[in-house]
């Protein structure tokens, strides 16, 4: 059974959102790099890779279901922030936004009784719980140490140790 036109169109939009997420996180990485937060920049580079993985997961799914992927242009991401705290606050806000989009897709799949798409989206629903938890935890940590250069240095080192998002190792 092929995907409905509406579902295919909605997943196409989500592919764009995932690529945009990648682009945004790479822009954040570049800002952090320029401010010498090398560890946080590496964390964001890994996040960039993960977002590409998300886009490709939808891409492959569309192909498997016989739907045409149509790529659209990406908007230009923000390039400056005022602090590392602001970067991660924005990342957390962005993940909350992406969660709402994934939930809308799941609502559509339920409406259309499209169980296969719902099964795929279940992975994304769980992934978003991780994405929000990770970014919000980093916001908390930055708030703990933000007035201590030594604390920020240690936190940057910790962020630089990231190899993948917990729970996302198979990506
Ligand atoms: Fe694709 O989860 Fe973040 O944006």
């Amino acid at each position: 059974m092929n995907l409905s036109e509406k579902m295919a169109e909605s997943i196409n939009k989500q592919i764009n959102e995932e690529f945009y997420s990648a682009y945004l996180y790479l822009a954040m990485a570049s800002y952090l790099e320029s401010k010498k937060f090398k560890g946080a920049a590496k964390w964001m580079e890994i996040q960039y890779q993960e977002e590409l993985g998300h886009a490709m997961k939808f891409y492959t799914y569309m192909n498997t279901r016989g739907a045409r992927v149509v790529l659209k242009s990406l908007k230009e991401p923000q390039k400056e922030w005022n602090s590392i705290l602001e970067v991660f606050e924005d990342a957390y806000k962005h993940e909350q936004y992406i969660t709402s989009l994934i939930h809308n897709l799941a609502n559509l799949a339920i409406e259309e009784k499209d169980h296969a798409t719902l099964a795929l989206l279940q992975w994304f629903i769980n992934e978003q719980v991780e994405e929000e938890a990770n970014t919000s935890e980093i916001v908390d940590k930055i708030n703990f140490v933000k007035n201590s250069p030594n604390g920020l240095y240690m936190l940057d080192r910790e962020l630089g140790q990231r190899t993948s998002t917990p729970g996302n190792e198979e990506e």
Side-chain angles (χ1 to χ4, degrees):
M1 192 176 82
N2 282 350
L3 280 179
S4 76
E5 223 170 272
K6 193 168 172 194
M7 183 56 82
E9 194 190 313
S10 303
I11 294 177
N12 266 321
K13 279 196 190 130
Q14 190 62 30
I15 289 174
N16 187 273
E17 295 282 356
E18 299 291 347
F19 277 123
Y20 174 74
S21 299
Y23 217 28
L24 174 65
Y25 292 137
L26 195 59
M28 289 176 172
S30 161
Y31 164 82
L32 291 164
E33 193 76 44
S34 76
K35 298 295 172 194
K36 308 296 176 213
F37 286 114
K38 296 255 173 207
K42 183 173 168 230
W43 193 99
M44 279 299 174
E45 281 175 30
I46 291 172
Q47 191 62 29
Y48 156 80
Q49 296 288 351
E50 291 217 343
E51 297 303 345
L52 294 180
H54 293 171
M56 290 310 292
K57 212 175 177 80
F58 280 120
Y59 176 91
T60 305
Y61 179 74
M62 288 277 277
N63 290 337
T64 309
R65 295 287 309 273
R68 174 78 206 271
V69 171
V70 180
L71 298 176
K72 297 274 172 66
S73 57
L74 293 173
K75 45 175 198 240
E76 188 178 314
Q78 185 174 335
K79 55 176 185 273
E80 296 297 339
W81 285 266
N82 289 314
S83 63
I84 182 173
L85 176 62
E86 198 179 276
V87 170
F88 280 92
E89 280 174 344
D90 279 4
Y92 177 44
K93 269 187 237 152
H94 184 71
E95 286 307 328
Q96 289 175 301
Y97 164 68
I98 294 294
T99 298
S100 73
L101 297 180
I102 295 288
H103 288 184
N104 288 345
L105 280 173
N107 290 341
L108 179 63
I110 290 166
E111 207 178 284
E112 295 196 352
K113 300 186 174 55
D114 182 345
H115 297 278
T117 301
L118 197 54
L120 172 81
L121 289 168
Q122 198 57 57
W123 184 91
F124 279 96
I125 290 166
N126 294 334
E127 174 68 3
Q128 283 310 119
V129 172
E130 294 287 340
E131 296 278 72
E132 285 192 30
N134 292 336
T135 43
S136 125
E137 191 183 302
I138 296 170
V139 168
D140 290 344
K141 285 184 178 172
I142 298 171
N143 272 320
F144 282 139
V145 299
K146 67 178 178 205
N147 296 321
S148 150
N150 193 43
L152 273 177
Y153 174 76
M154 296 304 288
L155 179 58
D156 188 57
R157 270 184 47 164
E158 182 191 320
L159 292 173
Q161 278 157 17
R162 180 185 187 188
T163 49
S164 76
T165 302
N168 199 32
E169 288 82 3
E170 77 279 12
E171 280 306 296

